[in-house]
């Protein structure tokens, strides 16, 4: 395999691959690894640099409208391996549940056009891609909501392969001659002609010059915002962009809204609560292999029957230790700044964060002592808060479109209009009540007043940087952008991979499902090209 800096290309460099994969994140890597060693010539284009760089990140800048959201250039990572490793992914993995694939009458636009059972073999391959080696236990698929009753426990697993750049480096050492990866190669447009049913060529920039290549098949794997952005930017033949005749490209943008809320007090050290803290090792393996136990965490979830009965969306709640007095403004600013500094990145508003900490020195010092103190102090914690992550209902008025502002390559930037509807907010309120009553029933004190702002308003929603739904999968072009094979409706040779194709998103952690879909797509691509159907 060749890994080449696109800036080293000459004006006469030519590429005519069978498959061009745009994006080198977990999905692009999975497709490439599956196709390595085959008769197919595969070319991967990565817009970022070999390592993390602010220059490459600037290409992800965009506009925010609608509900407050994080600056777009902080949300994803442009580099070899995509949004993984220290700067990006937390490496948490889990499958979606069976219920997540089903259509529900109380959730408009819900339901996948494929079934959970079809995904199980691809999930198994996805776990292997992420570095897990023991898949004998059915716990991988059956543990979610495994407890009886209204509140249960759901497992999640920390992937051994945290940084997919390491996967690329290992793949390059194998020496497969059918793979080539170009980095610093930002795709600027997909070119079509006539009826726009075929991508004739792919145009990309190395930052100074434009290049073109002529693949047989193109797969976009650049994330929930950039996949939609690239389709909208490719508007020479159709002014609305490729695949957008029904104005669905970019719509149904979904996140996993996150709420840090409440205050829980327990009378003595409680292993059950500490085990729900994702920053600590879970010590109850429940029969799983030792190497997996060390990477296992649990979260509180509501049973599917309860959610269906009350019309609630899915959720997952961690419990995290906090100082006895809770977190004030200084503590929150310290924690948020520490999150970015631990990733080697600059917070969105570093001066504002510093000033907030300076204005609340006692609160900041108390939090610093608690969070940076000996781990035994946290293991003996008696005070916790909820950190809950929720499913967002799909809705067309939450969307990605193009801004009038342009990046340094002359392309229009993305504009994100994120909206959380009332069904999502109702789910948050009801889930808070259910979980508080559940923990009170176990003998803990729960103060819900700390989850509300002034005048009883809900605490402000945050996010987990999951971008989903903008090129959703559907049986009919009237309902989505790609079909069940992940091919853009009405196109012969353009496919989209990643979480942008999710019709609904479950309660958290989309990466494993995106990788599983990539395995499924690789089978489809091999079949199509072997039979010369594209």
């Amino acid at each position: 395999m060749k890994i080449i800096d696109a800036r080293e290309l000459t004006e006469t460099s030519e590429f005519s691959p069978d498959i061009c994969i745009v994006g080198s994140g977990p999905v692009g890597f999975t497709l490439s690894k599956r196709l390595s060693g085959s008769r197919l010539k595969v070319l991967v284009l990565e817009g970022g640099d070999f390592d993390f760089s602010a220059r490459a990140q600037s290409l992800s800048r965009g506009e925010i409208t609608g509900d407050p959201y994080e600056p777009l250039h902080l949300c994803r990572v442009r580099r070899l391996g995509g949004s993984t490793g220290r700067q990006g992914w937390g490496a948490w993995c889990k499958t979606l549940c069976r219920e997540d694939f089903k259509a529900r009458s109380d959730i408009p636009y819900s339901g996948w056009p494929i079934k959970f059972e079809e995904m199980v073999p691809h999930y198994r391959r996805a776990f292997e891609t992420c570095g897990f080696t023991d898949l004998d236990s059915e716990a991988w698929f059956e543990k979610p909501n495994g407890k009886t009753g209204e509140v249960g426990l759901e497992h999640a697993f920390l992937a051994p392969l945290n940084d997919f750049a390491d996967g690329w480096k290992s793949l390059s050492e194998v020496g497969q001659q059918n793979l080539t990866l170009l980095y610093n190669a930002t795709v600027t447009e997909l070119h079509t002609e006539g009826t726009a049913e075929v991508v004739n060529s792919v145009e990309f920039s190395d930052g100074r010059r434009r290049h073109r290549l002529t693949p047989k098949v193109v797969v976009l794997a650049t994330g929930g915002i950039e996949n939609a952005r690239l389709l909208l930017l490719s508007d020479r033949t159709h002014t609305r962009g490729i695949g957008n005749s029904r104005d669905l490209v970019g719509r149904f943008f979904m996140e996993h809204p996150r709420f840090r809320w409440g205050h829980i007090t327990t009378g003595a050290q409680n292993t059950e609560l500490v085990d729900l803290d994702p920053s600590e090792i879970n010590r109850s393996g429940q029969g799983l292999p030792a190497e997996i136990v060390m990477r296992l965490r649990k979260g509180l979830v509501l049973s599917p029957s309860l959610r269906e009965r009350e019309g609630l969306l899915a959720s997952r709640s961690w419990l995290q230790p906090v100082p006895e007095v809770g977190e004030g403004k200084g503590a929150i600013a310290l924690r948020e700044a520490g999150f970015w500094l631990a990733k080697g990145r600059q917070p969105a508003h570093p001066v504002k964060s510093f000033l907030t900490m300076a204005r609340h020195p006692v609160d900041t010092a108390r939090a610093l002592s608690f969070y940076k103190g000996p781990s035994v102090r946290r293991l003996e914690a008696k005070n916790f808060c909820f950190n809950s992550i929720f499913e967002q209902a799909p809705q067309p008025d939450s969307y990605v479109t193009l801004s009038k502002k342009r990046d340094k390559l002359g392309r229009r930037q993305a504009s994100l209009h994120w909206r959380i509807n009332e069904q999502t907010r109702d789910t948050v309120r009801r889930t808070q009540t259910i979980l508080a009553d559940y923990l009170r029933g176990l003998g803990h004190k729960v103060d819900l007043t700390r989850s509300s702002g002034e005048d009883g308003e809900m605490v402000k929603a945050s996010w987990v940087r999951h971008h989903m739904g903008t090129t959703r999968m559907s049986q009919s072009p009237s309902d989505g952008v790609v079909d069940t094979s992940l091919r853009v409706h009405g196109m012969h040779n353009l496919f989209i991979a990643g979480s942008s194709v999710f019709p609904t998103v479950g309660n958290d952690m989309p990466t494993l499902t995106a990788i599983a879909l990539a395995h499924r797509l690789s089978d489809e691509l091999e079949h199509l090209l072997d039979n010369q159907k594209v």
Side-chain angles (χ1 to χ4, degrees):
M1 175 185 174
K2 299 177 182 177
I3 298 181
I4 304 170
D5 188 337
R7 294 173 296 187
E8 298 175 359
L9 297 178
T10 66
E11 294 183 0
T12 59
S13 297
E14 293 186 6
F15 298 93
S16 298
D18 294 303
I19 301 176
C20 172
I21 300 170
V22 185
S24 72
V27 171
F29 171 80
T30 300
L31 288 167
S32 301
K33 185 175 182 181
R34 283 294 314 281
L35 297 169
S36 66
S38 71
R39 65 172 184 80
L40 302 173
K41 292 170 58 179
V42 179
L43 176 68
V44 182
L45 300 179
E46 167 55 51
D49 211 330
F50 193 88
D51 297 308
F52 180 83
S53 76
R55 176 194 58 79
Q57 286 301 116
S58 68
L59 291 172
S60 292
R61 290 185 180 276
E63 183 177 57
I64 303 295
T65 62
D67 292 332
Y69 198 73
E70 191 159 64
L72 297 186
H73 68 285
L74 291 180
C75 294
R76 313 305 294 165
V77 183
R78 285 179 177 266
R79 62 181 276 271
L80 182 67
S83 297
T84 62
R86 178 190 178 194
Q87 291 89 9
W89 188 34
W92 290 107
C93 294
K94 73 176 190 66
T95 69
L96 292 180
C97 302
R98 280 178 172 80
E99 292 75 20
D100 295 326
F101 286 81
K102 298 176 181 178
R104 286 177 49 180
S105 60
D106 56 327
I107 303 177
Y109 308 105
S110 64
W112 286 56
I114 59 175
K115 295 182 178 180
F116 172 84
E117 287 73 17
E118 182 183 340
M119 289 291 292
V120 170
H122 306 301
Y123 272 130
R124 292 188 181 281
R125 294 193 289 180
F127 275 115
E128 293 174 359
T129 298
C130 291
F132 295 98
T133 57
D134 192 325
L135 299 180
D136 291 339
S137 175
E138 286 302 311
W140 298 105
F141 306 109
E142 299 301 331
K143 280 296 181 183
N145 307 314
K147 261 191 173 181
T148 58
E150 294 189 338
V151 179
L153 296 175
E154 180 186 64
H155 288 164
F157 305 88
L158 199 61
L161 179 58
N162 180 4
D163 191 344
F164 275 75
D166 294 335
W168 281 111
K169 293 167 187 174
S170 297
L171 192 58
S172 68
E173 295 171 358
V174 176
Q176 302 291 4
Q177 297 302 307
N178 69 317
L179 289 182
T180 301
L181 184 147
L182 298 178
Y183 61 94
N184 286 316
T186 300
V187 175
T188 54
E189 189 175 351
L190 306 178
H191 291 277
T192 62
E193 297 176 0
T195 58
E197 295 178 345
V198 174
V199 174
N200 302 105
S201 63
V202 175
E203 182 177 301
F204 67 95
S205 172
D206 61 16
R208 297 171 298 168
R209 293 170 299 184
R210 298 289 175 105
H211 307 268
R212 279 202 191 192
L213 58 94
T214 55
K216 294 179 181 177
V217 170
V218 179
V219 181
L220 302 186
T222 62
I225 290 180
E226 291 296 321
N227 279 347
R229 181 188 178 194
L230 188 50
L231 292 179
L232 295 172
L233 285 170
S234 302
D235 59 359
R236 291 178 189 253
T237 304
H238 286 302
T239 56
R240 284 187 171 184
I242 290 177
N244 198 32
S245 61
R246 298 174 187 260
D247 192 30
L248 292 175
V249 171
R251 292 198 180 275
F252 297 96
F253 173 85
M254 290 173 283
E255 244 283 8
H256 283 120
R258 178 171 62 86
F259 295 84
R260 194 176 174 96
W261 58 282
H263 191 92
I264 306 157
T265 305
T266 183
Q269 178 188 355
N270 192 299
T271 302
E272 183 180 47
L273 297 190
V274 173
D275 279 352
L276 294 168
D277 175 12
S279 64
E280 299 295 344
I281 291 177
N282 185 298
R283 290 168 300 286
S284 58
Q286 301 187 13
L288 292 175
E291 66 271 20
I292 293 177
V293 173
M294 300 297 287
R295 297 179 176 275
L296 179 96
R297 303 295 186 276
K298 295 181 289 186
L300 294 172
V301 295
L302 306 186
S303 69
S305 59
L306 172 62
R307 289 194 280 116
E308 185 169 0
R309 187 170 68 249
E310 298 202 18
L312 302 176
L313 298 161
S315 64
R316 175 186 178 85
S317 294
W318 308 106
L319 297 185
Q320 295 185 300
V322 293
E324 183 177 359
V325 296
E327 288 186 322
K329 293 182 179 179
I332 293 171
L334 175 69
R335 175 168 46 78
E336 292 178 350
F339 170 83
W340 287 113
L341 293 175
K343 291 180 175 293
R345 301 178 65 182
Q346 181 174 295
H349 307 289
V351 175
K352 180 180 178 181
S353 297
F354 175 79
L355 291 176
T356 299
M357 288 184 276
R359 292 191 190 103
H360 304 275
V362 175
D363 180 42
T364 302
R366 183 188 298 119
L368 183 63
S369 174
F370 181 82
Y371 289 118
K372 293 297 183 182
S375 60
V376 67
R377 183 182 304 169
R378 300 190 70 190
L379 290 172
E380 295 174 351
K382 299 181 180 180
N383 298 274
F384 300 82
C385 75
F386 292 93
N387 193 357
S388 299
I389 298 169
F390 288 83
E391 176 183 16
Q392 180 180 348
Q395 57 198 81
D397 64 344
S398 182
Y399 56 83
V400 172
T401 187
L402 297 179
S403 169
K404 293 182 180 179
K405 297 180 180 178
R406 296 181 180 269
D407 64 20
K408 60 185 180 183
L409 298 180
R411 305 178 306 161
R412 292 173 66 184
Q413 294 181 346
S415 177
L416 172 61
H417 188 82
W418 184 37
R419 283 295 189 195
I420 304 175
N421 69 6
E422 200 57 32
Q423 183 177 21
T424 304
R425 296 185 183 279
D426 287 344
T427 292
V428 174
R429 296 185 185 96
R430 179 63 180 137
T431 301
Q432 288 176 336
T433 300
I434 293 170
L435 291 183
D437 289 345
Y438 171 75
L439 288 183
R440 286 171 183 144
L442 296 178
H444 309 296
K445 295 179 181 179
V446 181
D447 182 358
L448 272 179
T449 62
R450 303 194 192 189
S451 66
S452 299
E454 297 178 0
D455 302 323
E457 293 180 358
M458 183 184 299
V459 68
K460 184 178 70 171
S462 186
W463 44 82
V464 285
R465 303 162 195 89
H466 297 162
H467 302 158
M468 304 165 287
T470 55
T471 62
R472 68 198 320 255
M473 187 197 311
S474 66
Q475 290 283 6
S476 167
S478 62
D479 301 319
V481 178
V482 302
D483 62 20
T484 56
S485 297
L486 304 188
R487 183 171 5 201
V488 174
H489 285 298
M491 298 291 294
H492 291 303
N493 67 336
L494 178 59
F495 296 78
I496 299 180
S499 57
S500 69
V501 306
F502 290 11
T504 53
V505 299
N507 65 8
D508 196 7
M509 304 177 195
T511 303
L512 190 76
T513 300
I515 293 173
L517 285 172
H519 278 285
R520 181 174 175 272
L521 175 58
S522 67
D523 293 343
E524 179 75 16
L525 293 176
E526 284 189 300
H527 174 74
L528 289 174
L529 287 164
D530 282 344
N531 291 278
Q532 297 183 342
K533 293 183 179 180
V534 291

